[in-house]
Amino acid sequence: MVESIMFSLLETKLHRPSCPTKQVSRPQIIHCLNEGLASKRGITLISAPAGFGKTNCASEWVNTIDLPVTWLSLDPTDDDPGRFFTYFIAALQEINEAVGQEIASVLRAGHLPPEEILLTTLVNDIQRLETRFLLVLDDFHVIQDQIILRIMDRLLDNFPQPLHLVLISREEPPLSLARLRANDQLTEIRAGDLRFNESEAGSFLNEVMGLALSQKDIAALEARTEGWIVGLHLAGLSIRGRADPSVFISSLSGSHRFILTYLTEEVLNRQTEDIQEFLLQTSILERLCGDLCNAVTGRKDSHALLERLYNDNLFLVALDEEGRWYRYHQLFSDLLRERQKNESVVLHQRASHWYAAEGMISEAIQHALAAADYATAIHLIDSHAMDMLMQWHVKTVDGWMRAIPPEWIAHSPRANLAFAWLHLSRRNSEQAMPYLKRSGELFADPHSIENDPSLEAKWLAIQAMLLTAQGNADESLRLCTRALEIAPLEDEQTRSMIYTGLANIYQLKNDYDHAVGAFQTVIQLGQATGNTVSELLGISGLALLAIQHGQYHFAFEFASRGIDRIERSGSLPAVSMAVYGELAVILYQWHQLEQAHDNFQRSIQISTLSGYSDAELFYAVILSRLFQIRGDLDAAAQEIQKAVVLMQVEAPAVVREEVIAQQIRIYLIQGRLAEAEGLLKSQEGSRGEGYSFFRLEPGQGLSTPIDVLNIAALRILLDRARVTGSTEELKQGLEIANHLIAGALQYNYTTFAMEAILVRAQMHATLGDDQASLADIIQALELGQPEGFISIFVEEGSWMAVVLKHLLDQKPPRTIRLDYIKQILGAFPTHRPHEAELGSQHPMSEPLTEREVDVLRLIADGMKYEEIARKLFISLNTVRSHVKAIYGKLGVDNRTKAIEMARVMRIL
Amino acid sequence: MDERLVYQIEIQGLVDEKELNANSPLLLKVVQAKAESTLLSLRTDQSGLIGLLRHLHTRGYMLISLQIEKKTVL
């Protein structure tokens, strides 16, 4: 029932108003509109004050044309970007379901995509359509939101060919129309075009309204109303049934507004008392249906009455084909409301209850606020504000909050908590604090009006989350435990919130089992309440935790389940990007690179649509590794450079460290030790001068996230020892590595431990301790084998391939399966130049100069010597001498070999 | 039937015509530009005028005066 009513209400917004069975035809206007369409102008503007028949005119026109038409009737609540674009896309999907599908999924999940993404996606989607179509936005004057207007303005700049946009507005839309007008891209119908002339007024009064007025009376009425259609309509209704219309007409004088008020009174007074009461009582409603009118008026025959009023042409507009929903003509309802306003409180309350019972919360809250029934409004806001925020109706929720008087907020813990949530949902904890504090004071007051255990539990859970963010796990755990004690068992939403808090606390305390248990409860509660976002947050948290602890199969099971859930839900909450990203990480580690790549692409796509850069950033890190293990070092370097640029905007600390660690790795492979060292040192703001390792005191656990920069620092030590031949520093590094590995293994951070072990193996080898090195490789294989780790070995380069091949030849311990080693070996790129090969080929006696590298790059780009000379502003002879020097230093005798050797030596 | 009139709008400060017309719903002509105020002229009807005034207000222009310059011959 609820869904069906809500759906039918949405349908009314997309319903093209049907033309009255009898109406005055406007051939000149239709001709003008058709001409605009034929001359390929993109936009039609129908702009005139209320009551000029704009909608009827547009409706008549679109009925005559042979193109697909979609219609969206806007109202003031649509002046909210999330809501507006949800309906805008729904209207476009009436033409083709594929338009804006991805954007709609993101909007459904509660995010407004970045303006650029929203615009380009919509323009591209529309551009793909083969047939030209009309989109009519009726009552566009209600749109004043700057975000919406900015996007619409940019749509005009990037206008997609298949679209013809029709804007119906009471005032000039604040869009860049002057330019369009100057370029003859705009068709305009304005008040002057819409006014009825005497002949049209005659047709309207005598033919449409069924009167029999003389030409003189018609002329008088036309003059009095200045062809204003709503005035003529009211006059016609007032005249209907009068014995001598001329007397009435001659009595009309004064301004438009006066005539309008006067005529409305006349029209009302000519109705029975019963009808008058119905009209006045229901005038408080934006839209009317039989059930709603029954609830508001206490009648039982509202549906039949609405039908009668519609047939009597009493300013009732049908909003659907079925005759279920109607609205009053705006001017008529305004005048009715003016008479009704002092007696409307009870009516608004009844409307609020009806809408709440039908699940249309937005309308229920608006009527509660109109009735100054703040208790009901706060209760509804508290219960549903988060859902509304999740649909990105931020402006709407803000508007509600502002409508509640401060004295009410001061005494309501529920309102305070709702405000705190509102601020926290925008990551604004400072602004949330006073509301949380006030809630606490009210909970402590025994006379408080809302001593609700659910509310208090929610308050405790919020406090606990803030404490966890500050690293205070013990106090946070105490508050969550208390919250669980008082939260009613049936309040699954609050309990889910508490368990999410608990999972974070256990993670902070390195308590893997309890963290897993808490996440599993969050998932179950999300499933029980049908809350997809909550379920996915649990799944994503659990999968990430399992990945960190090397439980890849367990993580895979949950990430796959999460993706199945996303696909079934039809929405794309931002957390989806994490689930796709986690699956990609698992697949990457299993060396299923194509599938990993696909899932990362999906993750980044959702990230872009949702306006977050996290996934894109993390994606660049893994993609860099992916290119690295494929042996494409240039691409690996490019990817990580992308991440560095993205990181300058905003990046969570964990991702930042991943980016830096990977960039250091790339530098080291490129032989740029000094740059790697400089980069690491630059990350040392809080650690004093130079890099200092994260140290574990005896008995101290590693905190999450584990600092991957420690491993990057070990890699630098290793490279430095290889370059300088000095092993003293490396021996110290070995101790640190032991410490890190012990700490990571103690808390089962397997992935981190394995990488550190593989670096330690290389440190041992550099120090000449091949036995210890082999022992490390074996330990890493034993750790990686149960969960199928592959890429982590390949990342270590050709040295690892040589060692594993050697191990295979020597028969490894029985704990390691031969096929596992073979599988890893099979994953190494076959064309990858081994460091050993480099050495055997041509150790360059003298490095290339900068200019020689420039020349070499241009040769590799396929340029001829003459072109290189022009490009570098040098003579042809100088180019030739550079080339000769390059060949000599590289030990080659032609261009192809030079390029090949330069690539092997990683000069290019 | 053309219901447009020529309006003169005075706004505070010196304003550049090009900047003023960027993204404007209606074309504005600078009639007189002084440091303290700029006099603009435009031809439109009631709906156009209301939309334009709202647009100027949203853009942060301070309106000083508004008058009809002359009634267009209908």
Side-chain angles (χ1 to χ4, degrees), chain A residues 144 171-172 181 190 195, chain B residues 3 23 25 45 47 54 58:
Chain A
Q144 296 294 333
E171 58 188 64
E172 201 74 15
R181 204 173 274 117
R190 309 192 69 93
R195 285 186 199 283
Chain B
E3 296 192 347
N23 309 110
D45 60 11
S47 302
R54 198 191 291 276
T58 311

Side-chain angles (χ1 to χ4, degrees), chain A residues 794-854:
Chain A
V794 186
E795 283 171 3
E796 295 305 323
S798 51
W799 175 85
M800 182 59 61
V802 174
V803 176
L804 288 176
K805 202 163 181 313
H806 176 71
L807 186 65
L808 199 62
D809 295 340
Q810 298 294 308
K811 288 190 181 170
R814 284 186 182 174
T815 48
I816 301 166
R817 296 192 320 270
L818 292 180
D819 64 332
Y820 178 49
I821 300 176
K822 284 178 188 166
Q823 203 183 354
I824 298 171
L825 278 170
F828 280 88
T830 49
H831 62 279
R832 184 177 178 148
H834 289 190
E835 285 81 355
E837 290 166 11
L838 276 178
S840 68
Q841 285 193 17
H842 189 271
M844 206 163 32
S845 52
E846 194 186 335
L848 297 183
T849 63
E850 267 183 45
R851 202 46 150 182
E852 285 163 359
V853 173
D854 290 343

Side-chain angles (χ1 to χ4, degrees), chain A residues 315-569:
Chain A
F315 291 100
L316 209 55
V317 180
L319 295 177
D320 54 29
E321 295 289 352
E322 297 79 31
R324 188 173 188 187
W325 285 95
Y326 299 89
R327 71 171 169 84
Y328 287 119
H329 189 285
Q330 192 63 49
L331 278 177
F332 190 61
S333 69
D334 284 350
L335 290 162
L336 291 173
R337 279 178 206 175
E338 269 177 34
R339 285 179 46 149
Q340 182 61 37
K341 65 183 171 190
N342 296 329
E343 297 154 37
S344 60
V345 170
V346 178
L347 303 173
H348 278 298
Q349 276 181 325
R350 289 177 187 163
S352 174
H353 291 155
W354 186 85
Y355 272 122
E358 298 296 340
M360 287 180 268
I361 303 304
S362 183
E363 287 79 1
I365 292 171
Q366 274 156 8
H367 280 291
L369 290 172
D373 182 356
Y374 300 119
T376 303
I378 289 170
H379 189 81
L380 288 167
I381 291 170
D382 177 52
S383 316
H384 301 280
M386 282 314 288
D387 289 342
M388 295 295 290
L389 288 175
M390 289 304 296
Q391 288 163 45
W392 224 85
H393 296 174
V394 178
K395 198 172 163 186
T396 308
V397 176
D398 261 358
W400 295 336
M401 296 297 229
R402 276 199 297 271
I404 297 169
E407 61 271 23
W408 253 94
I409 294 166
H411 293 101
S412 166
R414 193 182 292 278
N416 278 282
L417 215 51
F419 268 100
W421 253 133
L422 194 66
H423 291 301
L424 286 172
S425 69
R426 296 176 195 171
R427 300 178 184 181
N428 196 342
S429 52
E430 257 180 49
Q431 281 191 300
M433 291 316 275
Y435 293 106
L436 282 174
K437 188 168 173 278
R438 183 72 190 135
S439 300
E441 288 163 5
L442 292 166
F443 285 128
D445 180 358
H447 305 297
S448 175
I449 48 167
E450 289 162 328
N451 272 332
D452 179 343
S454 269
L455 272 186
E456 195 171 349
K458 212 180 271 181
W459 173 69
L460 286 165
I462 295 174
Q463 305 258 72
M465 278 180 196
L466 293 173
L467 284 168
T468 308
Q470 292 162 11
N472 190 347
D474 291 334
E475 181 58 12
S476 181
L477 182 59
R478 193 185 69 75
L479 294 185
C480 273
T481 310
R482 171 75 188 130
L484 265 189
E485 283 167 11
I486 60 172
L489 280 174
E490 64 277 10
D491 185 359
E492 284 154 335
Q493 194 197 19
T494 304
R495 295 184 80 81
S496 169
M497 200 170 133
I498 300 168
Y499 276 105
T500 305
L502 277 172
N504 293 330
I505 295 166
Y506 290 130
Q507 271 186 285
L508 191 61
K509 290 170 83 69
N510 285 315
D511 186 345
Y512 177 74
D513 291 339
H514 277 99
V516 168
F519 275 131
Q520 282 179 322
T521 309
V522 173
I523 297 168
Q524 284 160 11
L525 289 168
Q527 284 168 341
T529 52
N531 186 334
T532 310
V533 174
S534 178
E535 188 184 343
L536 288 174
L537 281 170
I539 286 173
S540 161
L542 184 54
L544 182 63
L545 186 69
I547 287 171
Q548 284 173 347
H549 287 78
Q551 303 290 315
Y552 274 58
H553 287 100
F554 186 60
F556 180 76
E557 181 195 328
F558 277 90
S560 306
R561 198 197 287 182
I563 284 164
D564 182 51
R565 186 77 194 85
I566 294 163
E567 284 172 0
R568 275 188 293 120
S569 76

Side-chain angles (χ1 to χ4, degrees), chain A residues 693 695 714 717 727-738 763 767:
Chain A
F693 282 95
R695 289 188 183 278
L714 290 178
L717 290 186
T727 55
E728 203 48 44
E729 208 179 27
L730 198 58
K731 283 178 189 161
Q732 289 171 14
L734 211 50
E735 276 178 41
I736 294 161
N738 292 342
M763 294 165 93
L767 289 167

Side-chain angles (χ1 to χ4, degrees), chain B residues 10-70:
Chain B
E10 192 181 9
I11 57 175
Q12 198 172 58
L14 187 61
V15 183
D16 176 60
E17 189 173 286
K18 201 172 165 191
E19 183 193 313
L20 197 69
N21 280 315
N23 309 110
S24 173
L26 292 157
L27 190 68
L28 292 153
K29 278 187 184 165
V30 172
V31 177
Q32 195 175 55
K34 292 190 220 157
E36 58 275 18
S37 72
T38 306
L39 193 63
L40 310 165
S41 163
L42 86 150
R43 188 164 177 270
T44 189
D45 60 11
Q46 276 283 302
S47 302
L49 180 67
I50 298 298
L52 181 85
L53 292 179
R54 198 191 291 276
H55 168 76
L56 291 174
H57 171 67
T58 311
R59 299 262 155 169
Y61 293 108
M62 172 89 82
L63 299 174
I64 297 174
S65 68
L66 166 70
Q67 58 184 345
I68 296 172
E69 190 183 84
K70 59 181 178 188

